[in-house]
Amino acid sequence: LAKTTQPISMDSYEGQEVNITCSHNNIATNDYITWYQQFPSQGPRFIIQGYKTKVTNEVASLFIPADRKSSTLSLPRVSLSDTAVYYCLALAAGNKLTFGGGTRVLVKP
Amino acid sequence: KAGVTQTPRYLIKTRGQQVTLSCSPISGHRSVSWYQQTPGQGLQFLFEYFSETQRNKGNFPGRFSGRQFSNSRSEMNVSTLELGDSALYLCASSSGNRGQTYEQYFGPGTRLTVT
């Protein structure tokens, strides 16, 4: 069964770039990798998704290497309000949606 | 456009009882997925319904079941509750169109406590 692995936590400072890598072996060939952000007492919120190479939107970038065994979420110039838990989501072989364990990002002033 | 709504927001039940949770997706969305979130296990996928049919299922025992109605609203039922079922149950809606993307919109969740 596929396993999705992320670092448990990361600390950063305002204005810095934060990069979170998720390892996801054995994912389905044609499926997207999606990242979510979750604040306390709220449901996760969609940030970005990608299939391969690089995707950028107004809040983040997503880098996916050719082998698709990992992906990196990049948050440019973080602010205090970016303190949250970030999850990667992939569709594993066997059609099982698998969330990573989540990375708790703490942005300090 | 209204977001995903879940009812009730909080629930306290006793071991052995059963519980039904409700989810109303975003208007026009045909897919509803359910997740269990606990501090120890994180976010775990329960099942997905699309057009009243279960399309995808996680690794949970048969005590966990769901259904979807013709208006896309969904219910999740847990029978014979166990202490370990205490969790935040999240519902997410999406267009459900195949293309293997998972841009889902989550509700605020139902906090279930089993005593």
Side-chain angles (χ1 to χ4, degrees):
Chain A
L1 193 64
K3 185 174 170 58
T4 310
T5 307
Q6 307 175 229
I8 292 174
S9 64
M10 301 180 80
D11 287 0
S12 183
Y13 290 91
E14 281 190 293
Q16 289 189 331
E17 179 181 80
V18 171
N19 296 305
I20 309 169
T21 296
C22 176
S23 299
H24 29 71
N25 62 338
N26 203 25
I27 66 169
T29 305
N30 297 317
D31 287 325
Y32 281 68
I33 295 148
T34 314
W35 284 80
Y36 289 83
Q37 175 192 56
Q38 187 177 27
F39 297 111
S41 302
Q42 294 184 25
R45 182 176 73 100
F46 172 87
I47 301 175
I48 195 168
Q49 66 183 8
Y51 174 68
K52 59 182 177 181
T53 64
K54 178 182 175 181
V55 177
T56 298
N57 63 20
E58 62 276 9
V59 298
S61 293
L62 179 60
F63 301 90
I64 304 171
D67 65 7
R68 291 171 32 88
K69 291 186 184 297
S70 67
S71 61
T72 299
L73 173 71
S74 181
L75 305 172
R77 298 179 298 282
V78 292
S79 64
L80 296 178
S81 63
D82 292 318
T83 293
V85 180
Y86 294 83
Y87 293 93
C88 66
L89 171 66
L91 184 69
N95 237 23
K96 304 296 184 186
L97 282 168
T98 304
F99 270 95
T103 299
R104 190 172 300 275
V105 173
L106 173 63
V107 180
K108 303 175 184 177
Chain B
K1 213 182 232 188
V4 178
T5 58
Q6 292 186 244
T7 56
R9 291 293 311 277
Y10 302 92
L11 205 49
I12 300 175
K13 288 286 189 178
T14 305
R15 268 184 305 177
Q17 289 186 315
Q18 75 162 20
V19 66
T20 299
L21 312 181
S22 180
C23 172
S24 293
I26 291 172
S27 177
H29 282 186
R30 296 165 66 191
S31 168
V32 172
S33 296
W34 288 90
Y35 297 86
Q36 181 195 65
Q37 186 171 32
T38 60
Q41 298 297 319
L43 267 163
Q44 292 189 287
F45 172 70
L46 281 154
F47 30 66
E48 178 198 8
Y49 284 86
F50 179 80
S51 292
E52 302 180 65
T53 301
Q54 189 180 86
R55 185 162 75 170
N56 203 347
K57 188 177 186 304
N59 297 319
F60 277 81
R63 299 185 298 107
F64 292 82
S65 63
R67 60 177 175 168
Q68 187 180 34
F69 302 95
S70 58
N71 62 358
S72 293
R73 191 177 68 85
S74 176
E75 287 182 347
M76 190 194 93
N77 185 76
V78 187
S79 62
T80 319
L81 284 165
E82 301 176 359
L83 294 178
D85 297 332
S86 293
L88 180 67
Y89 289 89
L90 291 158
C91 159
S93 83
S94 71
S95 65
N97 296 322
R98 276 305 186 193
Q100 310 298 0
T101 66
Y102 290 97
E103 185 169 350
Q104 298 177 312
Y105 297 83
F106 283 81
T110 295
R111 173 76 60 187
L112 172 65
T113 302
V114 182
T115 62

